[in-house]
Amino acid sequence: MTDSTRDKPYRQPTGGWGSIKSLARHVLRQRALRAGPGLFRDHNKTGGYMCTSCAWAKPARPHVGEFCENGAKATFWDLTSRRVPPEFFATHRVSDLRAWSDHDLENQGRLTHPMRYDAASDRYLPVSWQDAFAEIGAGLKGRDPDSVVFYASGRASLETSYMYQLLARLYGTNNLPDSSNMCHETTSVALPESIGTPVGTILLEDFERTDCVLSFGQNVGTNSPRLLHELQKLRDRGVPVVVFNPLRERGWEEFVNPQRPGQMLANRPTRIATQYYQVSAAGDIAAMTGMAKALLEWDDAAKASGSEPILDADFIAEHTQGFEAFQRQVRAADWSRITAVSGLPRAALEAAARTYAGARSVIAVYGMGLTQHRLGCDNVQMLINLLLMCGNIGRPGAGICPVRGHSNVQGQRTVGIAEKTDLVPLDRLAAQYGFQPPRKDGMNTVEVCEAVIAGRVRAFLGLGGNFLRAVPERELMERAWAGMDLSVQIATKLNRTHLVPARSSFLLPTLVRSEIDQQATGPQIVTMEDSTTCIHASRGKFRPASPELLSEPRIVAGIAQATLPDNPAVPWQEWVADYALIRDAIEASFPDDFRDFNGRLDLPGGFARPVPARRRQWETDSGKANFLRPRALSADAGAGEDGDILRLITLRSNDQFNTTIYGHDDRLRGIYGSRMIVMLNPDDRIRHGIASGGMVRLTCAAQDGVTRSMGGFRAIDRDLPAGTIAAYYPECNALIPLWHHDEKSKTPAAKSVPVRIAAD
Ligand SMILES: Nc1nc2c(c(=O)[nH]1)N[C@H]1C(S)=C(S)[C@@H](COP(=O)(O)OP(=O)(O)OC[C@H]3O[C@@H](n4cnc5c(=O)[nH]c(N)nc54)[C@H](O)[C@@H]3O)O[C@H]1N2
Ligand SMILES: Nc1nc2c(c(=O)[nH]1)N[C@H]1C(S)=C(S)[C@@H](COP(=O)(O)OP(=O)(O)OC[C@H]3O[C@@H](n4cnc5c(=O)[nH]c(N)nc54)[C@H](O)[C@@H]3O)O[C@H]1N2
Ligand SMILES: [Mo]
């Protein structure tokens, strides 16, 4: 290879010495030495701060060092000693910064002062907080509330999120899209239809009791590495783990636990997946249909011979609805179609079904590989069907486990960040705060993008995140963004969204969660909800990156007070002085979830919100758990069936958190030095006339009159199913049409983008 890209398949286990080496490099590069001791003492511990990386559960009895490679990287990245002061902006024009990479922008360090864009000099200039709030308030007052968007990325605490949704509703809109709209929105729409709850049903202790884990479309080694601790323990007990993923992800293969000195010294890894199936992208419905078909056939045979049944007939009769129609559809499905769409032979699907049928209690884990498809809801609902067939919901050691993304993304929904009004107790908010909340649904992320492109969004507030980089249809979005009147970005580091200014733009820097949040009554606590509905307190431990920084609650209160008429029922000032009062207000709005909120802050392992499906109470229309029939065998709704079109998976490397790029290596996939790569199977490469390591161009195959094409990728051979290729997000977002989303939830379908490939 001629450039700096290195391609060297990684044969080491996940974790182990490789992760320690990588961490040492990151702590030095970020000069974040102050973070080291805190990691052991305070990270994910009761009385300490909760990791800002993923949302995986925090155990009641943590390890001495309850962190992982990527959680530690996120912490070093936050606690870097690098700074972006006003002088940085004095030396760099915004249009020049637009040419910088995502990595280079964030790598400059933490933002230190509130800044306002000055179009004449094309620079951000410092502004006082007071002036910033006053001007933002003036910019928001008197607008049509539905032309304003209040976006949230899933990191902000329950306290901030509650204040933010109240700000939007007092202002007059339910336009509260969040990062979840691009992520597990599919889960939030699919699960209520199936089992009457929008969240997963398992608790951490279920991993200690399960007899089998199924995993679909989730990359544990990179995106939720602490889950490997649970998986390692259950593998020690001999529990099988069955994985469906087009890529051979190292995290699902082998793990050496850095917290186990004996294992580190011997470098003897734990094998995680006992069966690994490289399903084609969008082939999961077909794969699960094949498994269900086998279960039905074996159950028929068991009935005929009088041996033990395979299905849980009592559970199906008492607790479910729709089984008859479901089983007819599965029986009618043709094995040749199942194997063609899934890319897996019948024997493989039968072997997976055999393991599933042999277990008393099964947990199904899933991620973006199921949610980010045109038929994402069908994917998730088919997985529920598979669990329901054998009664695997609502008993110990069994259940559904969506692995959430951002550390408080699930919690934001819980406290009212939702564009859908039926998810929010509007009547209670109305009574609590003496106002008429807007009753019309707001816009989700895709609808916001449509409205931005159409010029209907006039002002956008971002509570964290990097909206322009995270959404599809990048080129049209960036062009339209500049036409807005106002952009307000609450952020910790500089990113691309900040560099596409609207007519008036503000950049408001804030604390990170591991920093001390000092207010009038002393240092404050914030809270968040993990993937298993457990709520934890978090106390910052480190000195803030700059004395100018304000906490997120203070910034939200500042904007609210400058924008809204006085309302004695909403004590913004008192809330900011003492966050316990915000928690009291949350408890009053959501009494079932947050009973005795302040009293239960420090329960080891957090306190769990009640989830009715855990007790086999089904809050669905039918009052039962519903078998729901998938609308097709392929989750891309047939888009990839033309032989020349490839399905592009856009995914994360081991050196990034979403649009935050820590570095250019993806150690676990053996790719170093560049993110402009496409992984593909050598047969596909040869068929398209591409040399090994050659340069390629990807072009979206959608025929809608818009050209979406990107060159400059290097082809890298990897073991992938025919017709499936993979490249990195966010680089590839320019290739994804806005309308290419899950049909029900509108989650962008980032995992099977129809593309053509050619030598470049
Ligand atoms: N270190 C780190 N941690 C993170 C993040 C991060 O960027 N970095 N992001 C956070 C966020 S917001 C989220 S949402 C989660 C995301 O975590 P994941 O849900 O793991 O998301 P992705 O990295 O996009 O990878 C999805 C996996 O699905 C597989 N896949 C793709 N298409 C298909 C398919 O059609 N079928 C199947 N069965 N598999 C498929 C891919 O090969 C990949 O292994 O992680 C969170 N945690
Ligand atoms: N093609 C493709 N697109 C995708 C995905 C995919 O798999 N493929 N995944 C989607 C998913 S799952 C998600 S969740 C979205 C992510 O979308 P977002 O949540 O919008 O993006 P992030 O990259 O997480 O946001 C990073 C920025 O957040 C700011 N930040 C970091 N910490 C804090 C904090 O504590 N407070 C505040 N106020 N700001 C902070 C920093 O300035 C940083 O630059 O992207 C989606 N887009
Ligand atoms: Mo996410």
Side-chain angles (χ1 to χ4, degrees), residues 31 39 81 141 241 295 314 346-347 400 452 454 500 620 643 681:
R31 289 180 253 133
L39 274 184
S81 56
K141 274 187 205 161
V241 175
L295 296 175
D314 292 344
R346 177 171 174 171
I400 187 78
V452 167
V500 186
T620 56
N681 141 343

Side-chain angles (χ1 to χ4, degrees), residues 179-180 182-184 368 372 403-406 409 652 657-658 729:
S179 56
S180 176
M182 297 177 255
C183 179
H184 270 289
M368 300 298 99
Q372 294 178 334
V403 183
R404 298 274 170 167
H406 273 295
V409 64
R652 296 156 168 77
F657 191 94
N658 297 342
Y729 139 70

